[in-house]
Amino acid sequence: MKKIMLLLPLLLGAAGGMLRFFQRRTVFGPDGLVRPHPLSLLMLLWLAAAALFFLLTAWQKQGKQLTFFHSFALPEGQPPFDLVCGGLLFVVSGAMLLVENVGGGELVPLIAAALSVFSGLTLLLFLRAWRGGTAPGALLLPPVLLALLLLLTTYQRYASHPVTEAYYVEVLSQAGMACAFHQVAAHGFWQGRRRPLLWCVPTAMVLALCALPDAASLPQVGILLAAAASLFAFWRCCGTYEPPETEEDGAAGDEDTVQQEEA
């Protein structure tokens, strides 16, 4: 059952991505306007059902503030290779975005490219620190800034677009990415809460995979996949670990975790 829950965001996201793909092929006309179609309602219901399901499952968990090591544990002392893949994808996607926009005269894409590369590098540095027994939350903030920048540029690009259905999945995916990485980073600052963490992270994975058909270029696809892979690493490491119930047990569990990581 736990394995199914761990893979559920990926399964829901893959199915939602296929649904979004067919929606874009059948619902939107050549003029960009929307034709009435059941896929439009089905897409909305799919995203709402996924968000509601993870909200209900997260509500059963503890709501008090926790440190990073109270919510996350490396599986059997091994590094999460999905986090490594996510970091590398951020770096590669940022490099491709930089190559596409260098000399174009626009500053925002260059900032986004630099933030993507920086996000990948900081995630890899965070993994090294995590294995060493520390969890500096500042290293998890660049993906938050990247998601917020992408969200603002998306709003600017579609400011005069008459059809909300054409871009709402992309907007939700970037907002979800910002919220999910913010929740993970909050644990590094000793301000994390398990309920919003277990809701935002899987929901953001679903949204990222659903937004793949909306990506206009290969770097955008890479950034979405990087976000999904990185968040899946944190989801996997917190989905198999239950924090202690009391503060005394929490301190002991924290020390035990650090000692295991150092060993």
Side-chain angles (χ1 to χ4, degrees), residues 100-122:
E100 282 187 0
N101 294 277
V102 66
E106 295 186 9
L107 183 60
V108 174
L110 298 179
I111 297 176
L115 273 177
S116 181
V117 173
F118 191 53
S119 298
L121 295 177
T122 53

Side-chain angles (χ1 to χ4, degrees), residues 49 58 64 85 97 140 154 157 165 200 258:
K64 64 181 182 181
C85 292
L97 189 61
L140 296 173
T154 301
R157 186 168 69 251
E165 194 170 352
C200 290
V258 173

Side-chain angles (χ1 to χ4, degrees), residues 2 6 73-75 194 235-242:
K2 285 187 175 182
L6 289 178
L74 286 170
R194 194 162 174 82
W235 167 251
R236 184 165 59 88
C237 292
C238 74
T240 56
Y241 180 59
E242 289 294 334

Side-chain angles (χ1 to χ4, degrees), residues 41-53:
L41 179 60
L42 185 59
M43 188 72 214
L44 284 171
L45 293 176
W46 187 266
L47 295 177
L52 181 61
F53 173 78

Side-chain angles (χ1 to χ4, degrees), residues 31-132:
D31 52 0
L33 298 179
V34 176
R35 296 189 293 259
H37 199 280
L39 283 178
S40 299
L41 179 60
L42 185 59
M43 188 72 214
L44 284 171
L45 293 176
W46 187 266
L47 295 177
L52 181 61
F53 173 78
F54 289 117
L55 177 62
L56 293 177
T57 56
W59 200 257
Q60 304 172 7
K61 305 298 180 179
Q62 298 179 15
K64 64 181 182 181
Q65 291 184 351
L66 299 170
T67 67
F68 187 86
F69 291 104
H70 282 147
S71 290
F72 299 93
L74 286 170
E76 300 179 358
Q78 299 297 322
F81 292 102
D82 32 15
L83 185 57
V84 176
C85 292
L88 293 177
L89 276 173
F90 270 124
V91 173
V92 173
S93 301
M96 290 191 298
L97 189 61
L98 182 63
V99 171
E100 282 187 0
N101 294 277
V102 66
E106 295 186 9
L107 183 60
V108 174
L110 298 179
I111 297 176
L115 273 177
S116 181
V117 173
F118 191 53
S119 298
L121 295 177
T122 53
L123 283 176
L124 296 176
L125 290 175
F126 179 84
L127 176 57
R128 182 179 179 181
W130 186 3
R131 295 187 66 190

